[in-house]
Amino acid sequence: MFVDILAATGVLAVLTMVPGPDMAVVTKRAIASGLQDGLRTVGGIAAGLLLWGALTVAGLAAVLAASATAYTVVKLAGAAYLAFLGVQALAQSRRGRSVTTASPATPSGNPWRTGLISNVFNPKIAVFYTGLLPTLAPPGVPPHAGMALLVLVHAALTLVWLGGYVFVLARARSFVERPSVRRAMDRVTGVVLIGFGVKVATSGS
């Protein structure tokens, strides 16, 4: 069973490191507000994974994954939220043109809630948890317990990976806070977030 858990952890680690909307949201928040807000955003994302995990164990995520209407509603809500964050980043970069000496504007809203919402409105997590996680569950344990264990592992890996990423951004913040660099990163992050929003909106189930 230990070997099975180790193999499943390896698969989850690879999937965790693939760049996606969560990383884009973390990048935006960490660059704008620093280490503490970046880590709180990561915490919100991990809480979203735990919520999806609880829904999966309860069987509710399977309903979402199987219902085209419910999937579309969540998908479009998530796409709209990502696009909103992207437009916010682009607007912030434009404001920075005329106020280069002022302190950077801090994004509004609670960073933990930002991370939570961005993750909860990603229906791909429901598909991932109901479709892939059961195939990774270790044999010899009750299915619900195996699923719950893997969800905890995935959340822990996310905390470590994105938390480490935030620390790297924080160490480089003196470079990032240069007005020209800040504007460029806001623009790139904004475009990436809008791109992920479009991708989520146009993706199939």
Side-chain angles (χ1 to χ4, degrees):
M1 185 178 71
F2 176 77
V3 175
D4 294 309
I5 294 175
L6 194 61
T9 300
V11 173
L12 290 173
V14 172
L15 294 174
T16 299
M17 290 186 288
V18 175
D22 286 342
M23 180 172 281
V25 170
V26 167
T27 301
K28 175 182 180 296
R29 198 79 200 203
I31 290 174
S33 306
L35 177 64
Q36 295 300 321
D37 268 16
L39 291 178
R40 291 189 185 100
T41 305
V42 174
I45 290 169
L49 292 175
L50 293 176
L51 177 58
W52 274 120
L55 293 175
T56 301
V57 172
L60 298 179
V63 175
L64 173 61
S67 170
T69 301
Y71 182 90
T72 299
V73 170
V74 175
K75 178 178 71 172
L76 293 179
Y81 186 67
L82 290 173
F84 165 75
L85 293 177
V87 170
Q88 190 180 60
L90 291 176
Q92 184 172 310
S93 73
R94 291 181 63 83
R95 287 196 299 270
R97 291 180 180 178
S98 58
V99 192
T100 57
T101 58
S103 58
T106 300
S108 59
N110 183 288
W112 187 89
R113 186 170 59 247
T114 298
L116 176 67
I117 293 174
S118 71
N119 190 269
V120 166
F121 282 111
N122 182 2
K124 290 293 186 182
I125 301 295
V127 176
F128 167 59
Y129 274 9
T130 58
L132 179 61
L133 239 58
T135 68
L136 299 176
V141 297
H144 282 44
M147 290 282 291
L149 174 62
L150 293 183
V151 169
L152 291 174
V153 169
H154 188 209
L157 290 170
T158 299
L159 285 172
V160 171
W161 173 248
L162 290 181
Y165 175 64
V166 169
F167 274 103
V168 171
L169 289 178
R171 291 292 298 271
R173 200 177 182 202
S174 59
F175 170 76
V176 171
E177 284 184 338
R178 296 176 183 176
S180 60
V181 175
R182 176 66 178 273
R183 287 196 299 270
M185 294 198 71
D186 279 340
R187 289 168 187 165
V188 170
T189 303
V191 170
V192 168
L193 283 166
I194 293 172
F196 275 125
V198 172
K199 182 178 179 181
V200 169
T202 57
S203 65
S205 59

